Amino acid sequence: MSTPYPFTAVVGQTDLRLALLLNAVSPAVGGVLVRGEKGTAKSTAVRALSALLPQVDVVPGCRFSCAPGAPDPACPDGPHEPGAGAARPARMVELPVGASEDRLVGALDIERALSEGVKAFEPGLLADAHRGILYVDEVNLLHDHLIDLLLDAAAMGASYVEREGVSVRHAARFLLVGTMNPEEGELRPQLLDRFGLTVEVAASREPAQRVEVVRRRLAYEDDPAAFAIRWADEEHEVRARVVAARALLPQVSLGDTALLQIAAACAGFEVDGMRADIVMARTATALAAWAGRTSVRKEDVRQAALLALPHRRRRNPFDAPGLDEEMLDRILDGFPDEEPEPEPDPEPQGPDDGGDGDGDGSGPDGDGGGVPPQHDGPPAQEADSPEAAPDAPDTTREDAPQPSAQGSGAAEQAPVAAAEPFRTKVLSVPGLGEGAAGRRSRARTAHGRTTGSQRPRGHLTKLHLAATVHAAAPHQKARGRAGRGLVIRKDDLRQATREGREGNLVLFVVDASGSMAARQRMGAVKGAVMSLLLDAYQRRDKVGLITFRGSGAELALPPTSSVDAAAARLERLPTGGRTPLAAGLLKAHEVLRVERLRDPSRRPLLVVVTDGRATSAGVPGGRPGDTPRELSGRSARLLASEGIASVVVDCESGPVRLGLAGVLAADLGAPAVTLDGLRADSLAGLVKNVRTAVTHTASLDSVSRRAA
């Protein structure tokens, strides 16, 4: 739709609106990351913000939006003579998830650079966003190298393009806004820290609030222009307030008391580094300017802490973001303000006096202070509630056995807590892949070390200079070369081939049967799987979780980028019943077959966590007389025959060992590693590659004979 949804028509979402407006007042705050479930007006509010920003004066014809009063001396379109400028609205530029590096930072015309010796530069999205807003929807799905470039430009206020000896620099100061759904995966803590503020949004559960959301949205879709006119006065009022706050900002003083409060809060919550202190100081100053004050007060520091600290306290993806407000109040109370007069609430109010919905879906109660919710989901669902994971087993009774959910005929054990995670060995898929960028297995990628060259397939992105010159050199006389430069044709250009790392699909198949039910043993197993999940998070993998027990296997978590979702399912995993190992392996085969159709380039790594016992078939259609051991061996060899890389984590313990996990590993053509051997600091050798049994038909025959 050409007419954006008005910012002031967003119902509720107090924290989201406040964080966006504070960045509009002071872009030095460092942007905002909006986390929340789907349909909570994240994108609607961000897109509506651009209409509230003041117009900018630019040098006519400058592709880099230089200010006429102070043009960038290094502007590629410069030098510019000081003079009158042209006013235009501030831009909001969207960065697509699938964008290339050239689209983000710009691209050089390599052919002209080599043949004519000129810097022919095509600006990218960073140049378009200069002095405006750069919006990244689903920022957690953006490739890491693009996020690094993006955040570096945001921190330095400039973009640098260095390629094949040609260098271009231009200003790139913008308001950075990212939105994400945590269910689809988390950002690394290092990247979270680069966003100034974070906001958690969730849909309201109040019917009246949801009705207002639907009413406004339908009115907007029926006639966007008329709906925008209805809210024009409110939009003008907020726009004027942003301009006034920007003008007041240089006059706001940040006293020693406020600085001590900021430092004490950051130290008390043990945030890493000093960026949090700086962001809190800038945010508190912007809050004071937004409230029309020239001094920072304790309530400004408190609000700044609630917006700037929660995402910086996370140590791993399983930590829920949030802040202990009682602890925050105790810290701040140790440094009372010197100014006794109360100040007006800085939160903007719309005509509905700050309702609790939004334009695309409603938000949490937002009646005052803009305090972010301290949870990832609806308030009615606690983290340990069965309703929080509808397909997870019921774990409400942990003091008595329960009937098996899979008809095992044996008592089900209540879930046990996972042991402390540890750093694991490196498990990787052999060969050279072409999957999504990550940190696990070798792959051909757009970034990494150069390994060769090839003719470009489509647009040239990474020039291999030596190969290009080598291809053009024999034809210079025939092409009539007369000057110093080479005569370059399009057919001479060579693309550099590079090798880096890819992310894989790590599918866990976990034995949850009665043989694993000893509480200490299952705690160690869960701790090992949790450690592998942490490793998968750091290496940017997708993960899935299959469990088998009783009479069959269950896909507890379909493949996803949300590693913390897998950890939550694992924590609630009960044990008990017989051991249908074949069912677990065949379920893995089915899941991998479907995922291969969805994402052919992402290679799988199967991690089977078991002691190797098989006491139940759990699958229909077996041959008469087949034992569970024979069925599991046949299922394992099916996976091996399709070249699926696997590893077996042997959970067998005690002085007497049957070695069944080793037999399973032989059937899978995979290495077997014990729980202790999985540790990176163990004495065993480092597991670098997971080998498959598809190299020679003879090896498969040998494995079959050993299993028999």
Side-chain angles (χ1 to χ4, degrees):
M1 298 181 182
S2 57
T3 304
Y5 193 93
F7 186 85
T8 51
V10 174
V11 185
Q13 298 296 26
T14 311
D15 310 320
L16 172 57
R17 292 190 297 163
L18 178 61
L20 291 173
L21 289 170
L22 290 177
N23 275 275
V25 171
S26 175
V29 166
V32 58
L33 174 66
V34 186
R35 296 163 41 94
E37 58 196 29
K38 52 187 177 293
T40 49
K42 302 187 297 291
S43 301
T44 298
V46 174
R47 293 189 176 101
L49 178 67
S50 60
L52 301 180
L53 298 181
Q55 289 193 330
V56 295
D57 291 329
V58 298
V59 174
C62 178
R63 299 173 297 167
F64 301 88
S65 301
C66 284
D72 181 7
C75 177
D77 284 356
H80 301 299
E81 294 294 332
R88 65 160 176 78
R91 292 174 179 156
M92 196 205 72
V93 177
E94 293 195 40
L95 174 62
V97 170
S100 65
E101 180 181 341
D102 287 346
R103 185 71 186 99
L104 177 63
V105 302
L108 296 171
D109 189 332
I110 300 297
E111 187 172 359
R112 289 191 62 194
L114 288 175
S115 60
E116 302 175 26
V118 298
K119 294 182 181 179
F121 181 70
E122 183 66 28
L125 295 178
L126 291 180
D128 294 341
H130 180 47
R131 305 175 69 194
I133 301 173
L134 182 60
Y135 171 46
V136 188
D137 194 12
E138 306 294 350
V139 64
N140 52 325
L141 303 182
L142 200 65
H143 285 192
D144 284 354
H145 72 281
L146 292 182
I147 295 178
D148 292 337
L149 290 170
L150 180 64
L151 296 178
D152 284 345
M156 295 185 295
S159 175
Y160 294 84
V161 182
E162 305 280 352
R163 184 167 300 165
E164 311 303 341
V166 181
S167 176
V168 173
R169 174 209 169 276
H170 65 83
R173 293 183 294 275
F174 47 81
L175 169 57
L176 176 62
V177 182
T179 57
M180 60 174 284
N181 184 347
E183 295 177 356
E184 297 174 340
E186 288 285 357
L187 282 173
R188 302 197 313 269
Q190 299 93 325
L191 300 180
L192 281 172
D193 185 52
R194 301 298 290 272
F195 283 94
L197 310 179
T198 186
V199 176
E200 298 280 335
V201 295
S204 172
R205 298 302 185 254
E206 294 296 328
Q209 298 165 4
R210 300 174 76 97
V211 165
E212 183 62 22
V213 171
V214 175
R215 182 181 293 119
R216 292 189 187 184
R217 189 69 198 187
L218 293 178
Y220 169 70
E221 292 177 352
D222 287 343
D223 192 343
F227 188 82
I229 292 173
R230 173 184 164 191
W231 293 91
D233 291 342
E234 287 78 6
E235 292 282 286
H236 177 74
E237 181 181 345
V238 176
R239 188 182 302 111
R241 190 172 175 183
V242 170
V243 173
R246 279 191 174 187
L248 183 62
L249 187 65
Q251 305 173 37
V252 177
S253 64
L254 185 66
D256 290 342
T257 300
L259 284 171
L260 284 172
Q261 292 170 340
I262 291 170
C266 294
F269 286 106
E270 299 180 352
V271 296
D272 295 332
M274 294 298 298
R275 186 174 284 119
D277 302 66
I278 297 171
V279 170
M280 275 190 64
R282 290 171 174 167
T283 305
T285 304
L287 279 162
W290 179 251
R293 287 186 271 103
T294 56
S295 62
V296 173
R297 295 181 54 82
K298 182 169 70 175
E299 57 262 34
D300 300 325
V301 176
R302 185 182 193 277
Q303 182 67 74
L306 292 171
L307 293 172
L309 296 186
H311 61 299
R312 292 184 165 88
R313 296 191 64 237
R314 304 191 74 189
R315 294 295 185 268
N316 62 61
F318 310 144
D319 294 338
L323 213 62
D324 185 340
E325 295 188 43
E326 293 183 0
M327 178 179 173
L328 176 62
D329 289 334
R330 288 196 302 271
I331 292 173
L332 298 182
D333 287 343
F335 304 91
D337 280 328
E338 299 176 359
E339 301 178 24
E341 296 183 8
E343 297 292 345
D345 191 327
E347 177 56 35
Q349 298 294 336
D352 64 332
D353 199 28
D356 292 299
D358 60 46
D360 273 338
S362 73
D365 227 340
D367 252 352
V371 178
Q374 303 301 315
H375 48 73
D376 286 331
Q381 296 180 357
E382 297 296 334
D384 57 353
S385 169
E387 288 83 356
D391 53 348
D394 184 8
T395 63
T396 56
R397 293 190 57 196
E398 297 190 359
D399 56 343
Q402 301 175 5
S404 172
Q406 301 189 31
S408 62
E412 178 182 295
Q413 299 287 330
V416 298
E420 189 69 22
F422 52 84
R423 190 167 63 91
T424 66
K425 292 179 177 178
V426 181
L427 306 176
S428 61
V429 179
L432 196 62
E434 295 183 346
R439 295 185 171 186
R440 183 170 297 277
S441 305
R442 295 174 55 215
R444 297 183 184 91
T445 60
H447 296 268
R449 62 186 182 89
T450 301
T451 58
S453 65
Q454 63 181 15
R455 292 182 181 273
R457 303 172 184 173
H459 180 64
L460 178 70
T461 56
K462 298 290 182 181
L463 178 76
H464 194 295
L465 182 59
T468 299
V469 172
H470 187 270
H475 309 290
Q476 295 304 297
K477 185 175 181 180
R479 293 173 183 174
R481 174 189 172 189
R484 297 175 58 186
L486 290 175
V487 180
I488 301 291
R489 304 282 172 82
K490 189 172 183 179
D491 290 343
D492 301 327
L493 300 179
R494 295 293 183 269
Q495 175 86 23
T497 57
R498 301 193 175 192
E499 182 179 311
R501 294 281 171 176
E502 67 177 0
N504 298 112
L505 166 59
V506 182
L507 182 61
F508 294 92
V509 181
V510 180
D511 185 349
S513 64
S515 64
M516 308 288 288
R519 300 184 72 83
Q520 185 175 1
R521 184 177 178 188
M522 195 60 198
V525 169
K526 284 187 176 182
V529 178
M530 198 77 75
S531 304
L532 290 168
L533 284 172
L534 275 169
D535 183 68
Y537 167 78
Q538 294 165 352
R539 299 184 188 281
R540 314 302 289 167
D541 296 317
K542 289 180 69 174
V543 297
L545 177 64
I546 292 173
T547 64
F548 59 93
R549 64 186 181 91
S551 60
E554 174 190 8
L555 180 59
L557 182 72
T560 175
S561 297
S562 180
V563 175
D564 50 345
R569 301 294 172 89
L570 183 69
E571 283 286 357
R572 295 182 173 89
L573 177 65
T575 57
R578 299 174 69 82
T579 311
L581 177 56
L585 297 175
L586 290 178
K587 173 64 79 171
H589 180 269
E590 176 187 347
V591 170
L592 294 178
R593 179 184 62 81
V594 174
E595 287 301 310
R596 192 180 298 118
L597 296 175
R598 290 177 178 169
D599 190 356
S601 63
R602 189 179 288 270
R603 297 186 295 163
L605 174 61
L606 183 66
V607 180
V608 185
V609 185
T610 181
D611 57 9
R613 289 182 174 87
T615 61
S616 172
V619 291
R623 296 181 301 199
D626 279 347
T627 65
R629 282 275 309 279
E630 291 170 339
L631 284 173
S632 62
R634 192 179 307 132
S635 302
R637 290 190 291 275
L638 172 64
L639 290 164
S641 67
E642 296 188 2
I644 296 173
S646 309
V647 63
V648 176
V649 179
D650 185 359
C651 302
E652 192 173 27
S653 60
V656 179
R657 297 173 181 262
L658 301 178
L660 297 177
V663 175
L664 174 64
D667 287 331
L668 286 168
V673 57
T674 63
L675 290 177
D676 290 336
L678 191 62
R679 295 177 179 270
D681 55 356
S682 68
L683 296 178
L686 189 66
V687 180
K688 289 182 179 284
N689 287 303
V690 181
R691 302 188 181 279
T692 62
V694 296
T695 53
H696 301 288
T697 305
S699 64
L700 281 176
D701 294 339
S702 175
V703 168
S704 300
R705 288 194 297 272
R706 288 200 304 273

